[in-house]
Amino acid sequence: MDRAQGRRPGGDLPTTDDRPLYWTRVAMTVRLARWQPGFTVDPAALRQRFEDASRGLADSGFSGRQGVRRIFISGFDPFGLDAEPRRANPSGSAALQLDGRRITLADGTPAEVRSVLFPVRYGDFDRGIVERAYAPKLTRGPRAADLITTISQGYPGLFTLEAWAGRARSADPYPDNIGALSGGTRDHPVNAPGLGPGAEFIATSLPTSPMTAVQQPYPALLNTTVTEIPAGGTAPVDRDNGPTPGSRAVAGGGGGYLSNEVAYRTNRLRLELAPQLPGGHLHTPVLTGLPDQPELLTGPDFEQNEAAITGEVLDILRHTSD
């Protein structure tokens, strides 16, 4: 976070690059697994403490200052690294750049942003990492959030606010970052382990009109599509304008992968703990521009695109007050 916000510069990559954190976490996890201390230690508990600390879960509290609006966001690690190990994730970059920052909203209100970073691993979601991160921010008090939104990388060339999050996993055969599958496909969706009671689809409560009024440098749209199995049916159907009554969720606007699931989990929890709170999910454009030479980790187009995406994330968040 210090590096992303310019307080600890250094290295050959842009300070806003999220990948050094990911690479370092992977290397440290290997070191911890190989460590043989001369005293008793619980390896699983130690790794969990390290994961939580390196993802912001151990220190993501708001200051509680009066008159300051509190916005809680989350990003993701890079993913799809089997195909391209140099990949970054602009949602992670945005989370690092904004964590702990004071910003001014479009209506002049000061706001404080806190953030966490989630792994692209089904198992962590099964064990409740999303609920552990968000539940404290949805509990009433001076340090509760006033607005929540999850963020992930989505579609080429545009931002989308997802109107609907679906309860199901349906992304197989696409694996997570350790090669695990969810067990759910488009034809046979499954519910994720550990989910509390909730509707098949949950609608966003974010102020979508002012947020999608931000159109530079990328267009921002409200995505109302879903995939469902209609009531009484057996086959999936794509819908342009949200779900129909009594249907079974196959995919939200963000698909049937973990970006949809993080939206569903956080907003299911929001409806349980703080139903009046605005909440939803924002997809960023796909980050492109890596050089053709595989030995090069960055390049001018890549850095320019990353800066443009993360800058627009901030602009969109500024319009949550409208």
PDB file of all heavy atoms in Angstrom, residues 186-226:
ATOM      1  N   ARG A 186     -22.644 -24.240 -16.678  1.00  0.00           N
ATOM      2  CA  ARG A 186     -23.828 -23.523 -17.166  1.00  0.00           C
ATOM      3  C   ARG A 186     -25.060 -24.425 -17.129  1.00  0.00           C
ATOM      4  O   ARG A 186     -26.150 -23.988 -16.766  1.00  0.00           O
ATOM      5  CB  ARG A 186     -23.569 -23.014 -18.578  1.00  0.00           C
ATOM      6  CG  ARG A 186     -24.764 -22.316 -19.225  1.00  0.00           C
ATOM      7  CD  ARG A 186     -24.422 -21.874 -20.641  1.00  0.00           C
ATOM      8  NE  ARG A 186     -25.624 -21.473 -21.388  1.00  0.00           N
ATOM      9  CZ  ARG A 186     -26.112 -20.251 -21.412  1.00  0.00           C
ATOM     10  NH1 ARG A 186     -25.505 -19.284 -20.732  1.00  0.00           N
ATOM     11  NH2 ARG A 186     -27.201 -19.963 -22.113  1.00  0.00           N
ATOM     12  N   ASP A 187     -24.896 -25.680 -17.506  1.00  0.00           N
ATOM     13  CA  ASP A 187     -26.040 -26.600 -17.521  1.00  0.00           C
ATOM     14  C   ASP A 187     -26.360 -27.174 -16.153  1.00  0.00           C
ATOM     15  O   ASP A 187     -27.496 -27.600 -15.904  1.00  0.00           O
ATOM     16  CB  ASP A 187     -25.773 -27.747 -18.494  1.00  0.00           C
ATOM     17  CG  ASP A 187     -25.747 -27.272 -19.940  1.00  0.00           C
ATOM     18  OD1 ASP A 187     -26.568 -26.398 -20.280  1.00  0.00           O
ATOM     19  OD2 ASP A 187     -24.907 -27.751 -20.715  1.00  0.00           O
ATOM     20  N   HIS A 188     -25.362 -27.168 -15.261  1.00  0.00           N
ATOM     21  CA  HIS A 188     -25.568 -27.731 -13.924  1.00  0.00           C
ATOM     22  C   HIS A 188     -24.918 -26.815 -12.879  1.00  0.00           C
ATOM     23  O   HIS A 188     -23.851 -27.121 -12.340  1.00  0.00           O
ATOM     24  CB  HIS A 188     -24.978 -29.147 -13.836  1.00  0.00           C
ATOM     25  CG  HIS A 188     -25.604 -30.115 -14.785  1.00  0.00           C
ATOM     26  ND1 HIS A 188     -26.856 -30.665 -14.590  1.00  0.00           N
ATOM     27  CD2 HIS A 188     -25.154 -30.614 -15.966  1.00  0.00           C
ATOM     28  CE1 HIS A 188     -27.152 -31.473 -15.588  1.00  0.00           C
ATOM     29  NE2 HIS A 188     -26.135 -31.467 -16.445  1.00  0.00           N
ATOM     30  N   PRO A 189     -25.532 -25.663 -12.589  1.00  0.00           N
ATOM     31  CA  PRO A 189     -24.970 -24.754 -11.577  1.00  0.00           C
ATOM     32  C   PRO A 189     -25.064 -25.359 -10.187  1.00  0.00           C
ATOM     33  O   PRO A 189     -25.938 -26.191  -9.913  1.00  0.00           O
ATOM     34  CB  PRO A 189     -25.862 -23.510 -11.706  1.00  0.00           C
ATOM     35  CG  PRO A 189     -27.162 -24.034 -12.232  1.00  0.00           C
ATOM     36  CD  PRO A 189     -26.804 -25.169 -13.148  1.00  0.00           C
ATOM     37  N   VAL A 190     -24.143 -24.931  -9.320  1.00  0.00           N
ATOM     38  CA  VAL A 190     -24.162 -25.398  -7.932  1.00  0.00           C
ATOM     39  C   VAL A 190     -24.064 -24.185  -7.008  1.00  0.00           C
ATOM     40  O   VAL A 190     -23.548 -23.137  -7.386  1.00  0.00           O
ATOM     41  CB  VAL A 190     -22.996 -26.375  -7.639  1.00  0.00           C
ATOM     42  CG1 VAL A 190     -23.086 -27.608  -8.512  1.00  0.00           C
ATOM     43  CG2 VAL A 190     -21.642 -25.678  -7.824  1.00  0.00           C
ATOM     44  N   ASN A 191     -24.555 -24.354  -5.795  1.00  0.00           N
ATOM     45  CA  ASN A 191     -24.407 -23.319  -4.782  1.00  0.00           C
ATOM     46  C   ASN A 191     -23.083 -23.487  -4.064  1.00  0.00           C
ATOM     47  O   ASN A 191     -22.645 -24.613  -3.799  1.00  0.00           O
ATOM     48  CB  ASN A 191     -25.549 -23.375  -3.775  1.00  0.00           C
ATOM     49  CG  ASN A 191     -26.850 -22.855  -4.353  1.00  0.00           C
ATOM     50  OD1 ASN A 191     -26.860 -22.154  -5.360  1.00  0.00           O
ATOM     51  ND2 ASN A 191     -27.957 -23.203  -3.729  1.00  0.00           N
ATOM     52  N   ALA A 192     -22.457 -22.383  -3.724  1.00  0.00           N
ATOM     53  CA  ALA A 192     -21.177 -22.424  -3.028  1.00  0.00           C
ATOM     54  C   ALA A 192     -21.360 -22.885  -1.593  1.00  0.00           C
ATOM     55  O   ALA A 192     -22.377 -22.569  -0.957  1.00  0.00           O
ATOM     56  CB  ALA A 192     -20.537 -21.043  -3.040  1.00  0.00           C
ATOM     57  N   PRO A 193     -20.408 -23.631  -1.054  1.00  0.00           N
ATOM     58  CA  PRO A 193     -20.489 -24.014   0.358  1.00  0.00           C
ATOM     59  C   PRO A 193     -20.454 -22.798   1.273  1.00  0.00           C
ATOM     60  O   PRO A 193     -19.818 -21.789   0.971  1.00  0.00           O
ATOM     61  CB  PRO A 193     -19.226 -24.874   0.552  1.00  0.00           C
ATOM     62  CG  PRO A 193     -18.836 -25.325  -0.811  1.00  0.00           C
ATOM     63  CD  PRO A 193     -19.250 -24.227  -1.730  1.00  0.00           C
ATOM     64  N   GLY A 194     -21.165 -22.888   2.380  1.00  0.00           N
ATOM     65  CA  GLY A 194     -21.084 -21.861   3.408  1.00  0.00           C
ATOM     66  C   GLY A 194     -21.967 -20.656   3.202  1.00  0.00           C
ATOM     67  O   GLY A 194     -21.925 -19.723   4.004  1.00  0.00           O
ATOM     68  N   LEU A 195     -22.777 -20.642   2.157  1.00  0.00           N
ATOM     69  CA  LEU A 195     -23.661 -19.510   1.938  1.00  0.00           C
ATOM     70  C   LEU A 195     -24.844 -19.562   2.902  1.00  0.00           C
ATOM     71  O   LEU A 195     -25.476 -20.604   3.063  1.00  0.00           O
ATOM     72  CB  LEU A 195     -24.200 -19.507   0.506  1.00  0.00           C
ATOM     73  CG  LEU A 195     -23.296 -18.969  -0.599  1.00  0.00           C
ATOM     74  CD1 LEU A 195     -24.012 -19.069  -1.933  1.00  0.00           C
ATOM     75  CD2 LEU A 195     -22.872 -17.550  -0.327  1.00  0.00           C
ATOM     76  N   GLY A 196     -25.141 -18.425   3.518  1.00  0.00           N
ATOM     77  CA  GLY A 196     -26.340 -18.328   4.324  1.00  0.00           C
ATOM     78  C   GLY A 196     -27.569 -18.232   3.444  1.00  0.00           C
ATOM     79  O   GLY A 196     -27.476 -18.198   2.217  1.00  0.00           O
ATOM     80  N   PRO A 197     -28.751 -18.175   4.045  1.00  0.00           N
ATOM     81  CA  PRO A 197     -29.976 -18.090   3.255  1.00  0.00           C
ATOM     82  C   PRO A 197     -30.027 -16.795   2.450  1.00  0.00           C
ATOM     83  O   PRO A 197     -29.568 -15.753   2.896  1.00  0.00           O
ATOM     84  CB  PRO A 197     -31.082 -18.128   4.315  1.00  0.00           C
ATOM     85  CG  PRO A 197     -30.411 -17.680   5.580  1.00  0.00           C
ATOM     86  CD  PRO A 197     -29.011 -18.165   5.494  1.00  0.00           C
ATOM     87  N   GLY A 198     -30.598 -16.897   1.267  1.00  0.00           N
ATOM     88  CA  GLY A 198     -30.698 -15.717   0.422  1.00  0.00           C
ATOM     89  C   GLY A 198     -31.425 -16.026  -0.868  1.00  0.00           C
ATOM     90  O   GLY A 198     -31.649 -17.191  -1.215  1.00  0.00           O
ATOM     91  N   ALA A 199     -31.771 -14.978  -1.591  1.00  0.00           N
ATOM     92  CA  ALA A 199     -32.479 -15.121  -2.859  1.00  0.00           C
ATOM     93  C   ALA A 199     -31.546 -15.686  -3.931  1.00  0.00           C
ATOM     94  O   ALA A 199     -30.320 -15.671  -3.789  1.00  0.00           O
ATOM     95  CB  ALA A 199     -33.022 -13.766  -3.295  1.00  0.00           C
ATOM     96  N   GLU A 200     -32.136 -16.183  -5.006  1.00  0.00           N
ATOM     97  CA  GLU A 200     -31.337 -16.670  -6.128  1.00  0.00           C
ATOM     98  C   GLU A 200     -30.558 -15.526  -6.777  1.00  0.00           C
ATOM     99  O   GLU A 200     -29.416 -15.708  -7.189  1.00  0.00           O
ATOM    100  CB  GLU A 200     -32.236 -17.350  -7.161  1.00  0.00           C
ATOM    101  CG  GLU A 200     -32.751 -18.709  -6.720  1.00  0.00           C
ATOM    102  CD  GLU A 200     -31.645 -19.746  -6.604  1.00  0.00           C
ATOM    103  OE1 GLU A 200     -30.905 -19.949  -7.588  1.00  0.00           O
ATOM    104  OE2 GLU A 200     -31.524 -20.339  -5.510  1.00  0.00           O
ATOM    105  N   PHE A 201     -31.156 -14.355  -6.865  1.00  0.00           N
ATOM    106  CA  PHE A 201     -30.492 -13.180  -7.405  1.00  0.00           C
ATOM    107  C   PHE A 201     -30.659 -12.021  -6.423  1.00  0.00           C
ATOM    108  O   PHE A 201     -31.714 -11.874  -5.803  1.00  0.00           O
ATOM    109  CB  PHE A 201     -31.086 -12.778  -8.758  1.00  0.00           C
ATOM    110  CG  PHE A 201     -30.784 -13.715  -9.877  1.00  0.00           C
ATOM    111  CD1 PHE A 201     -31.713 -14.694 -10.242  1.00  0.00           C
ATOM    112  CD2 PHE A 201     -29.598 -13.635 -10.589  1.00  0.00           C
ATOM    113  CE1 PHE A 201     -31.454 -15.573 -11.283  1.00  0.00           C
ATOM    114  CE2 PHE A 201     -29.326 -14.504 -11.635  1.00  0.00           C
ATOM    115  CZ  PHE A 201     -30.255 -15.478 -11.987  1.00  0.00           C
ATOM    116  N   ILE A 202     -29.614 -11.197  -6.301  1.00  0.00           N
ATOM    117  CA  ILE A 202     -29.666 -10.004  -5.456  1.00  0.00           C
ATOM    118  C   ILE A 202     -29.344  -8.792  -6.324  1.00  0.00           C
ATOM    119  O   ILE A 202     -28.343  -8.781  -7.050  1.00  0.00           O
ATOM    120  CB  ILE A 202     -28.674 -10.098  -4.288  1.00  0.00           C
ATOM    121  CG1 ILE A 202     -29.040 -11.268  -3.369  1.00  0.00           C
ATOM    122  CG2 ILE A 202     -28.655  -8.791  -3.490  1.00  0.00           C
ATOM    123  CD1 ILE A 202     -28.068 -11.484  -2.229  1.00  0.00           C
ATOM    124  N   ALA A 203     -30.199  -7.785  -6.222  1.00  0.00           N
ATOM    125  CA  ALA A 203     -30.026  -6.571  -7.027  1.00  0.00           C
ATOM    126  C   ALA A 203     -29.058  -5.611  -6.345  1.00  0.00           C
ATOM    127  O   ALA A 203     -28.986  -5.529  -5.123  1.00  0.00           O
ATOM    128  CB  ALA A 203     -31.372  -5.883  -7.233  1.00  0.00           C
ATOM    129  N   THR A 204     -28.305  -4.873  -7.154  1.00  0.00           N
ATOM    130  CA  THR A 204     -27.444  -3.829  -6.616  1.00  0.00           C
ATOM    131  C   THR A 204     -28.284  -2.722  -5.997  1.00  0.00           C
ATOM    132  O   THR A 204     -29.416  -2.462  -6.427  1.00  0.00           O
ATOM    133  CB  THR A 204     -26.550  -3.233  -7.717  1.00  0.00           C
ATOM    134  OG1 THR A 204     -25.658  -2.278  -7.140  1.00  0.00           O
ATOM    135  CG2 THR A 204     -27.370  -2.545  -8.803  1.00  0.00           C
ATOM    136  N   SER A 205     -27.731  -2.076  -4.976  1.00  0.00           N
ATOM    137  CA  SER A 205     -28.378  -0.883  -4.420  1.00  0.00           C
ATOM    138  C   SER A 205     -27.465   0.336  -4.524  1.00  0.00           C
ATOM    139  O   SER A 205     -27.683   1.348  -3.864  1.00  0.00           O
ATOM    140  CB  SER A 205     -28.783  -1.125  -2.960  1.00  0.00           C
ATOM    141  OG  SER A 205     -27.654  -1.458  -2.159  1.00  0.00           O
ATOM    142  N   LEU A 206     -26.438   0.233  -5.366  1.00  0.00           N
ATOM    143  CA  LEU A 206     -25.554   1.368  -5.616  1.00  0.00           C
ATOM    144  C   LEU A 206     -26.281   2.446  -6.429  1.00  0.00           C
ATOM    145  O   LEU A 206     -27.224   2.139  -7.165  1.00  0.00           O
ATOM    146  CB  LEU A 206     -24.311   0.918  -6.385  1.00  0.00           C
ATOM    147  CG  LEU A 206     -23.298   0.057  -5.628  1.00  0.00           C
ATOM    148  CD1 LEU A 206     -22.237  -0.470  -6.589  1.00  0.00           C
ATOM    149  CD2 LEU A 206     -22.655   0.832  -4.489  1.00  0.00           C
ATOM    150  N   PRO A 207     -25.836   3.709  -6.326  1.00  0.00           N
ATOM    151  CA  PRO A 207     -26.412   4.780  -7.159  1.00  0.00           C
ATOM    152  C   PRO A 207     -25.889   4.652  -8.588  1.00  0.00           C
ATOM    153  O   PRO A 207     -24.955   5.349  -9.005  1.00  0.00           O
ATOM    154  CB  PRO A 207     -25.930   6.052  -6.469  1.00  0.00           C
ATOM    155  CG  PRO A 207     -24.653   5.660  -5.804  1.00  0.00           C
ATOM    156  CD  PRO A 207     -24.833   4.231  -5.380  1.00  0.00           C
ATOM    157  N   THR A 208     -26.491   3.765  -9.360  1.00  0.00           N
ATOM    158  CA  THR A 208     -25.931   3.376 -10.650  1.00  0.00           C
ATOM    159  C   THR A 208     -25.943   4.505 -11.677  1.00  0.00           C
ATOM    160  O   THR A 208     -25.039   4.596 -12.511  1.00  0.00           O
ATOM    161  CB  THR A 208     -26.674   2.160 -11.217  1.00  0.00           C
ATOM    162  OG1 THR A 208     -28.078   2.447 -11.295  1.00  0.00           O
ATOM    163  CG2 THR A 208     -26.472   0.948 -10.305  1.00  0.00           C
ATOM    164  N   SER A 209     -26.961   5.365 -11.647  1.00  0.00           N
ATOM    165  CA  SER A 209     -27.037   6.424 -12.665  1.00  0.00           C
ATOM    166  C   SER A 209     -25.867   7.399 -12.583  1.00  0.00           C
ATOM    167  O   SER A 209     -25.187   7.650 -13.587  1.00  0.00           O
ATOM    168  CB  SER A 209     -28.364   7.172 -12.566  1.00  0.00           C
ATOM    169  OG  SER A 209     -29.433   6.319 -12.932  1.00  0.00           O
ATOM    170  N   PRO A 210     -25.569   7.982 -11.409  1.00  0.00           N
ATOM    171  CA  PRO A 210     -24.411   8.879 -11.361  1.00  0.00           C
ATOM    172  C   PRO A 210     -23.088   8.148 -11.565  1.00  0.00           C
ATOM    173  O   PRO A 210     -22.151   8.717 -12.149  1.00  0.00           O
ATOM    174  CB  PRO A 210     -24.501   9.499  -9.967  1.00  0.00           C
ATOM    175  CG  PRO A 210     -25.367   8.599  -9.177  1.00  0.00           C
ATOM    176  CD  PRO A 210     -26.326   7.995 -10.139  1.00  0.00           C
ATOM    177  N   MET A 211     -22.998   6.902 -11.125  1.00  0.00           N
ATOM    178  CA  MET A 211     -21.741   6.174 -11.298  1.00  0.00           C
ATOM    179  C   MET A 211     -21.473   5.884 -12.774  1.00  0.00           C
ATOM    180  O   MET A 211     -20.335   5.976 -13.233  1.00  0.00           O
ATOM    181  CB  MET A 211     -21.758   4.887 -10.479  1.00  0.00           C
ATOM    182  CG  MET A 211     -21.756   5.131  -8.965  1.00  0.00           C
ATOM    183  SD  MET A 211     -21.981   3.632  -7.973  1.00  0.00           S
ATOM    184  CE  MET A 211     -20.365   2.860  -8.126  1.00  0.00           C
ATOM    185  N   THR A 212     -22.507   5.554 -13.519  1.00  0.00           N
ATOM    186  CA  THR A 212     -22.319   5.282 -14.948  1.00  0.00           C
ATOM    187  C   THR A 212     -22.326   6.557 -15.785  1.00  0.00           C
ATOM    188  O   THR A 212     -22.120   6.500 -17.003  1.00  0.00           O
ATOM    189  CB  THR A 212     -23.390   4.319 -15.474  1.00  0.00           C
ATOM    190  OG1 THR A 212     -24.692   4.835 -15.172  1.00  0.00           O
ATOM    191  CG2 THR A 212     -23.214   2.938 -14.872  1.00  0.00           C
ATOM    192  N   ALA A 213     -22.538   7.706 -15.149  1.00  0.00           N
ATOM    193  CA  ALA A 213     -22.381   8.971 -15.869  1.00  0.00           C
ATOM    194  C   ALA A 213     -20.915   9.252 -16.168  1.00  0.00           C
ATOM    195  O   ALA A 213     -20.589  10.064 -17.047  1.00  0.00           O
ATOM    196  CB  ALA A 213     -22.983  10.121 -15.063  1.00  0.00           C
ATOM    197  N   VAL A 214     -20.007   8.602 -15.455  1.00  0.00           N
ATOM    198  CA  VAL A 214     -18.574   8.716 -15.733  1.00  0.00           C
ATOM    199  C   VAL A 214     -18.280   7.923 -17.007  1.00  0.00           C
ATOM    200  O   VAL A 214     -18.480   6.710 -17.049  1.00  0.00           O
ATOM    201  CB  VAL A 214     -17.750   8.176 -14.550  1.00  0.00           C
ATOM    202  CG1 VAL A 214     -16.257   8.273 -14.864  1.00  0.00           C
ATOM    203  CG2 VAL A 214     -18.077   8.942 -13.270  1.00  0.00           C
ATOM    204  N   GLN A 215     -17.801   8.590 -18.032  1.00  0.00           N
ATOM    205  CA  GLN A 215     -17.633   7.950 -19.337  1.00  0.00           C
ATOM    206  C   GLN A 215     -16.237   8.116 -19.927  1.00  0.00           C
ATOM    207  O   GLN A 215     -16.014   7.754 -21.077  1.00  0.00           O
ATOM    208  CB  GLN A 215     -18.661   8.509 -20.316  1.00  0.00           C
ATOM    209  CG  GLN A 215     -20.102   8.157 -19.999  1.00  0.00           C
ATOM    210  CD  GLN A 215     -20.389   6.684 -20.258  1.00  0.00           C
ATOM    211  OE1 GLN A 215     -20.104   6.146 -21.333  1.00  0.00           O
ATOM    212  NE2 GLN A 215     -20.937   6.008 -19.268  1.00  0.00           N
ATOM    213  N   GLN A 216     -15.297   8.629 -19.127  1.00  0.00           N
ATOM    214  CA  GLN A 216     -13.950   8.845 -19.639  1.00  0.00           C
ATOM    215  C   GLN A 216     -12.920   8.298 -18.664  1.00  0.00           C
ATOM    216  O   GLN A 216     -13.072   8.464 -17.457  1.00  0.00           O
ATOM    217  CB  GLN A 216     -13.708  10.346 -19.859  1.00  0.00           C
ATOM    218  CG  GLN A 216     -14.566  10.957 -20.959  1.00  0.00           C
ATOM    219  CD  GLN A 216     -14.246  10.417 -22.335  1.00  0.00           C
ATOM    220  OE1 GLN A 216     -13.103  10.015 -22.602  1.00  0.00           O
ATOM    221  NE2 GLN A 216     -15.238  10.395 -23.204  1.00  0.00           N
ATOM    222  N   PRO A 217     -11.867   7.664 -19.180  1.00  0.00           N
ATOM    223  CA  PRO A 217     -11.573   7.391 -20.588  1.00  0.00           C
ATOM    224  C   PRO A 217     -12.288   6.160 -21.148  1.00  0.00           C
ATOM    225  O   PRO A 217     -12.205   5.889 -22.347  1.00  0.00           O
ATOM    226  CB  PRO A 217     -10.063   7.185 -20.588  1.00  0.00           C
ATOM    227  CG  PRO A 217      -9.773   6.637 -19.230  1.00  0.00           C
ATOM    228  CD  PRO A 217     -10.744   7.313 -18.300  1.00  0.00           C
ATOM    229  N   TYR A 218     -12.989   5.399 -20.277  1.00  0.00           N
ATOM    230  CA  TYR A 218     -13.735   4.229 -20.736  1.00  0.00           C
ATOM    231  C   TYR A 218     -15.222   4.458 -20.504  1.00  0.00           C
ATOM    232  O   TYR A 218     -15.608   5.074 -19.497  1.00  0.00           O
ATOM    233  CB  TYR A 218     -13.308   2.976 -19.965  1.00  0.00           C
ATOM    234  CG  TYR A 218     -11.870   2.567 -20.144  1.00  0.00           C
ATOM    235  CD1 TYR A 218     -10.888   3.004 -19.259  1.00  0.00           C
ATOM    236  CD2 TYR A 218     -11.490   1.724 -21.188  1.00  0.00           C
ATOM    237  CE1 TYR A 218      -9.561   2.616 -19.417  1.00  0.00           C
ATOM    238  CE2 TYR A 218     -10.167   1.332 -21.355  1.00  0.00           C
ATOM    239  CZ  TYR A 218      -9.202   1.786 -20.461  1.00  0.00           C
ATOM    240  OH  TYR A 218      -7.897   1.396 -20.624  1.00  0.00           O
ATOM    241  N   PRO A 219     -16.094   3.955 -21.377  1.00  0.00           N
ATOM    242  CA  PRO A 219     -17.515   4.015 -21.089  1.00  0.00           C
ATOM    243  C   PRO A 219     -17.857   3.144 -19.883  1.00  0.00           C
ATOM    244  O   PRO A 219     -17.198   2.134 -19.616  1.00  0.00           O
ATOM    245  CB  PRO A 219     -18.170   3.474 -22.363  1.00  0.00           C
ATOM    246  CG  PRO A 219     -17.112   2.662 -23.025  1.00  0.00           C
ATOM    247  CD  PRO A 219     -15.797   3.302 -22.666  1.00  0.00           C
ATOM    248  N   ALA A 220     -18.878   3.551 -19.140  1.00  0.00           N
ATOM    249  CA  ALA A 220     -19.369   2.780 -17.996  1.00  0.00           C
ATOM    250  C   ALA A 220     -20.849   2.501 -18.210  1.00  0.00           C
ATOM    251  O   ALA A 220     -21.623   3.423 -18.486  1.00  0.00           O
ATOM    252  CB  ALA A 220     -19.153   3.542 -16.692  1.00  0.00           C
ATOM    253  N   LEU A 221     -21.238   1.242 -18.091  1.00  0.00           N
ATOM    254  CA  LEU A 221     -22.606   0.825 -18.380  1.00  0.00           C
ATOM    255  C   LEU A 221     -23.185   0.055 -17.202  1.00  0.00           C
ATOM    256  O   LEU A 221     -22.462  -0.551 -16.412  1.00  0.00           O
ATOM    257  CB  LEU A 221     -22.632  -0.083 -19.620  1.00  0.00           C
ATOM    258  CG  LEU A 221     -21.980   0.440 -20.899  1.00  0.00           C
ATOM    259  CD1 LEU A 221     -22.008  -0.638 -21.972  1.00  0.00           C
ATOM    260  CD2 LEU A 221     -22.680   1.697 -21.380  1.00  0.00           C
ATOM    261  N   LEU A 222     -24.507   0.061 -17.104  1.00  0.00           N
ATOM    262  CA  LEU A 222     -25.220  -0.800 -16.171  1.00  0.00           C
ATOM    263  C   LEU A 222     -25.547  -2.096 -16.900  1.00  0.00           C
ATOM    264  O   LEU A 222     -26.226  -2.084 -17.930  1.00  0.00           O
ATOM    265  CB  LEU A 222     -26.501  -0.131 -15.679  1.00  0.00           C
ATOM    266  CG  LEU A 222     -27.366  -0.965 -14.724  1.00  0.00           C
ATOM    267  CD1 LEU A 222     -26.621  -1.241 -13.421  1.00  0.00           C
ATOM    268  CD2 LEU A 222     -28.694  -0.273 -14.456  1.00  0.00           C
ATOM    269  N   ASN A 223     -25.062  -3.207 -16.387  1.00  0.00           N
ATOM    270  CA  ASN A 223     -25.262  -4.505 -17.013  1.00  0.00           C
ATOM    271  C   ASN A 223     -26.420  -5.226 -16.322  1.00  0.00           C
ATOM    272  O   ASN A 223     -26.306  -5.602 -15.154  1.00  0.00           O
ATOM    273  CB  ASN A 223     -23.987  -5.342 -16.920  1.00  0.00           C
ATOM    274  CG  ASN A 223     -24.143  -6.705 -17.582  1.00  0.00           C
ATOM    275  OD1 ASN A 223     -25.024  -6.902 -18.408  1.00  0.00           O
ATOM    276  ND2 ASN A 223     -23.285  -7.632 -17.210  1.00  0.00           N
ATOM    277  N   THR A 224     -27.514  -5.425 -17.034  1.00  0.00           N
ATOM    278  CA  THR A 224     -28.707  -6.033 -16.444  1.00  0.00           C
ATOM    279  C   THR A 224     -28.897  -7.486 -16.866  1.00  0.00           C
ATOM    280  O   THR A 224     -29.927  -8.093 -16.572  1.00  0.00           O
ATOM    281  CB  THR A 224     -29.961  -5.238 -16.851  1.00  0.00           C
ATOM    282  OG1 THR A 224     -30.069  -5.213 -18.278  1.00  0.00           O
ATOM    283  CG2 THR A 224     -29.889  -3.806 -16.320  1.00  0.00           C
ATOM    284  N   THR A 225     -27.914  -8.069 -17.546  1.00  0.00           N
ATOM    285  CA  THR A 225     -28.066  -9.436 -18.024  1.00  0.00           C
ATOM    286  C   THR A 225     -27.894 -10.445 -16.890  1.00  0.00           C
ATOM    287  O   THR A 225     -27.152 -10.203 -15.930  1.00  0.00           O
ATOM    288  CB  THR A 225     -27.047  -9.760 -19.120  1.00  0.00           C
ATOM    289  OG1 THR A 225     -25.718  -9.649 -18.570  1.00  0.00           O
ATOM    290  CG2 THR A 225     -27.179  -8.805 -20.283  1.00  0.00           C
ATOM    291  N   VAL A 226     -28.567 -11.567 -17.008  1.00  0.00           N
ATOM    292  CA  VAL A 226     -28.394 -12.711 -16.112  1.00  0.00           C
ATOM    293  C   VAL A 226     -28.592 -13.979 -16.926  1.00  0.00           C
ATOM    294  O   VAL A 226     -29.115 -13.943 -18.045  1.00  0.00           O
ATOM    295  CB  VAL A 226     -29.389 -12.715 -14.927  1.00  0.00           C
ATOM    296  CG1 VAL A 226     -29.238 -11.478 -14.063  1.00  0.00           C
ATOM    297  CG2 VAL A 226     -30.828 -12.878 -15.415  1.00  0.00           C
TER     298      VAL A 226
END
